[in-house]
């Protein structure tokens, strides 16, 4: 794993400091200042300008933006995502509409998911407490195990 991290870090350093950006749209000021065509030089030059266009982002918003997306389905029992049910106050009409929605979810912890609507993230919490704090793979293994036990018992029951 350490070797993999070293390779990734070397790639990032090369990408930002040694790879020439040929098609970057240079401005007259950049040409006058003779900014080198590397990502790190262009970034530093842009930061040095008065009134730069950097946008502040808080860490929570950044984390939610980077989470993987999936589709959730509203139903009478709540929002269903990855065969798990979630709830949030104020979504009664959506539960009755049976619509679908884009959801940001953390595969490392299924306790919460976030519905993404017009760039706004609304947190939904897990209804079934037995899966609290578990990762998605662990939950899927539990669900598969439960189904296989029930399936075997159905044969025995016949």
């Amino acid at each position: 794993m350490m070797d993999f991290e070293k390779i990734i870090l070397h790639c990032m350093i090369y990408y930002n400091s040694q790879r020439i950006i040929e098609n970057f749209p240079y401005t007259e000021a950049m040409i006058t200042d003779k900014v080198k065509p590397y990502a790190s030089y262009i970034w530093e030059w842009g930061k040095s300008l008065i009134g730069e266009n950097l946008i502040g982002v808080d860490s929570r918003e950044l984390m939610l933006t980077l989470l993987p997306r999936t589709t959730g389905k509203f139903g009478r029992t709540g929002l269903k995502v990855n065969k798990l049910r979630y709830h949030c106050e104020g979504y009664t009409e959506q539960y009755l509409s049976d619509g679908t929605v884009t959801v940001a979810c953390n595969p490392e912890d299924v306790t919460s998911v976030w519905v993404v609507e017009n760039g706004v993230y609304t947190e939904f919490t897990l209804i079934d407490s037995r899966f609290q704090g578990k990762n998605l793979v662990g939950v899927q293994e539990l669900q598969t195990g439960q189904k296989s036990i029930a399936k075997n018992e159905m044969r025995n029951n016949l």
Side-chain angles (χ1 to χ4, degrees):
M1 193 59 153
M2 293 289 282
D3 291 336
F4 178 72
E5 288 178 12
K6 287 179 184 177
I7 291 170
I8 295 298
L9 285 173
H10 282 288
C11 289
M12 290 170 59
I13 291 168
Y14 171 79
Y15 185 82
N16 287 311
S17 64
Q18 296 177 357
R19 187 181 65 89
I20 296 174
I21 302 174
E22 295 177 12
N23 297 325
F24 188 83
Y26 269 63
T27 62
E28 290 178 15
M30 291 175 79
I31 293 170
T32 303
D33 292 342
K34 296 183 180 177
V35 177
K36 294 182 180 179
Y38 304 109
S40 60
Y41 286 95
I42 294 169
W43 173 259
E44 288 300 322
W45 179 84
K47 274 187 11 183
S48 69
L49 296 177
I50 297 172
E52 72 273 352
N53 286 332
L54 298 178
I55 300 170
V57 177
D58 68 26
S59 60
R60 183 177 187 277
E61 186 178 344
L62 179 63
M63 188 258 322
L64 292 173
T65 303
L66 296 174
L67 286 176
R69 301 290 192 264
T70 188
T71 302
K73 183 166 176 41
F74 286 114
R76 293 190 182 276
T77 58
L79 174 66
K80 257 194 151 173
V81 180
N82 297 323
K83 299 179 184 174
L84 297 171
R85 295 181 308 126
Y86 294 88
H87 173 70
C88 179
E89 292 295 324
Y91 276 78
T92 307
E93 287 187 31
Q94 285 87 340
Y95 294 151
L96 299 174
S97 71
D98 292 334
T100 60
V101 68
T102 302
V103 177
C105 57
N106 182 359
E108 299 301 319
D109 185 6
V110 297
T111 304
S112 296
V113 295
W114 293 266
V115 170
V116 183
E117 294 176 310
N118 302 322
V120 177
Y121 295 89
T122 306
E123 185 174 8
F124 280 67
T125 55
L126 187 64
I127 293 174
D128 199 352
S129 62
R130 68 185 170 137
F131 298 125
Q132 290 279 33
K134 296 199 183 303
N135 64 20
L136 185 58
V137 173
V139 169
Q140 289 172 341
E141 288 172 357
L142 285 171
Q143 289 172 335
T144 304
Q146 180 181 349
K147 282 183 183 180
S148 68
I149 290 171
K151 188 175 180 180
N152 289 337
E153 286 305 311
M154 287 179 95
R155 276 193 210 132
N156 292 340
N157 200 6
L158 283 175

